[in-house]
Amino acid sequence: MAAEPVILDCDPGVDDAVALLLALAVPEAIELLAVTTVAGNVPLALTARNARIVRTLAGREDVPVFAGAERPLVRAPTFEAEHGPSAFHGETGLGTLPLTAPKGDLADGFAPDAIVKLAMARPAGTVTLVAVGPLTNVALALAAEPLLAEHLKRIVIMGGARSAGGNITASAEFNIYADPEAAQAVFTSGAPIVAHGLDVTHAVRATPERIARIAAIPTARAQAAAELLRFSHGVALSIGNPSAPLHDPCPIAWLLAPDLFTTRPARVAVECESELTRGHTAVEFRVDPATAPVAWVTGADADAVFALLEDRLARA
């Protein structure tokens, strides 16, 4: 089977970096057309740099990295690393990962334009857009090319929450909270969407035992992933959680092994007006499965997801 063409939009970010390491490790399954970066966990200058650092760690300088939106569509930026003393992603955005100078410059061009150009150059229904940060770049791309939503195979998102509640406010997950207007535009675009919210990522935890198994793998990718996950585990402990959720790698794992996840057809609306519930995702399961625009991921086989991660990161 041919590799699936994928554009990965991200805001590295510790868990974004693990997702990127996984995506870069499987060229036989994922043809990574580009990595596009957006402001989110840290400012754009850092997300663009961090994506290139991870690309260098993985030895995949063939994949272009484009910088995108440095602020939300209509709001002031909200950087997750600034929220509270835990500093969810650390000062650099990559936790305690030792930083080396990235090889290769940023690709020329604005990330939303690159998304449009790369996706529209391929046959309709073949390119998957994976978005694991605020959805600003995706919304801008959809606005720039009205045919993009129906041309994409699907958009696979990490964002939102239903039963799990929020992680930045009582009801909002960070990626949606950071740019709710962009999220609302994406969820109502008509593109087929697979959404991995906190309901599933909170069930896939980087426990010390799972991190230790990754740390025992003698590849550069696995060692980097283990260091990133150790940092996340420390942050989780500092805020009273027993272990860190594996947020952004879940969409990549779903692409590689969708049978490890369960979904329900849904319709999703995003709260943009109320500051009290800003970024809340109203997930409605009372829909016609044949016409539901969203597949909402409700669960995963956590052990199998980590086994997949270990297997792929073991590749030199």
Side-chain angles (χ1 to χ4, degrees):
M1 183 179 292
E4 180 167 356
V6 171
I7 301 167
L8 176 54
D9 189 70
C10 56
D11 61 332
V14 170
D15 50 334
D16 303 74
V18 178
L20 185 51
L21 285 166
L22 179 58
L24 290 166
V26 287
E28 76 287 353
I30 293 176
E31 181 191 2
L32 198 54
L33 302 179
V35 174
T36 56
T37 69
V38 65
N41 289 320
V42 287
L44 181 68
L46 293 182
T47 65
R49 182 205 63 179
N50 291 349
R52 291 184 294 130
I53 288 173
V54 175
R55 178 183 66 176
T56 299
L57 267 171
R60 290 293 309 276
E61 285 82 15
D62 57 299
V63 178
V65 176
F66 294 87
E70 62 182 354
R71 56 177 298 120
L73 294 182
V74 299
R75 297 174 183 263
T78 302
F79 300 119
E80 187 172 9
E82 295 174 355
H83 280 261
S86 56
F88 297 129
H89 298 270
E91 222 174 278
T92 69
L94 294 178
T96 51
L97 188 71
L99 301 188
T100 57
K103 295 180 181 177
D105 296 328
L106 285 169
D108 291 334
F110 187 44
D113 296 336
I115 291 170
V116 171
K117 182 177 180 180
L118 290 166
M120 298 303 291
R122 296 295 183 102
T126 61
V127 175
T128 291
L129 175 55
V130 177
V132 295
L135 291 168
T136 317
N137 282 342
V138 181
L140 289 170
L142 291 166
E145 175 48 81
L147 297 178
L148 181 62
E150 63 185 57
H151 191 85
L152 288 166
K153 182 177 182 178
R154 60 199 163 202
I155 304 174
V156 185
I157 290 169
M158 189 280 122
R162 187 178 186 268
S163 60
N167 64 354
I168 195 73
T169 68
S171 64
E173 179 275 329
F174 173 77
N175 285 341
I176 308 301
Y177 177 89
D179 196 344
E181 287 79 12
Q184 174 68 353
V186 173
F187 275 112
T188 58
S189 67
I193 291 172
V194 181
H196 296 73
L198 301 185
D199 298 0
V200 62
T201 67
H202 278 191
V204 185
R205 296 271 179 172
T207 63
E209 295 77 16
R210 289 168 175 163
I211 296 171
R213 287 199 298 271
I214 293 172
I217 300 169
T219 66
R221 289 189 182 105
Q223 292 301 302
E227 183 63 29
L228 292 161
L229 293 173
R230 276 193 291 261
F231 178 83
S232 290
H233 178 66
V235 171
L237 291 177
S238 75
I239 58 176
N241 291 327
S243 54
L246 193 76
H247 296 302
D248 293 345
C250 279
I252 304 299
W254 181 87
L255 280 181
L256 298 173
D259 56 309
L260 302 183
F261 296 81
T262 56
T263 63
R264 288 185 67 179
R267 183 177 64 252
V268 177
V270 179
E271 176 57 57
C272 299
E273 301 301 323
S274 167
E275 282 306 306
L276 179 63
T277 55
R278 163 186 168 182
H280 168 72
T281 41
V283 182
E284 178 57 80
F285 290 140
R286 291 169 295 184
V287 295
D288 180 354
T291 59
V294 177
W296 184 263
V297 184
T298 57
D301 182 336
D303 287 334
V305 170
F306 270 91
L308 181 151
L309 184 61
E310 291 167 37
D311 176 72
R312 302 312 191 268
L313 292 176
R315 302 177 184 191

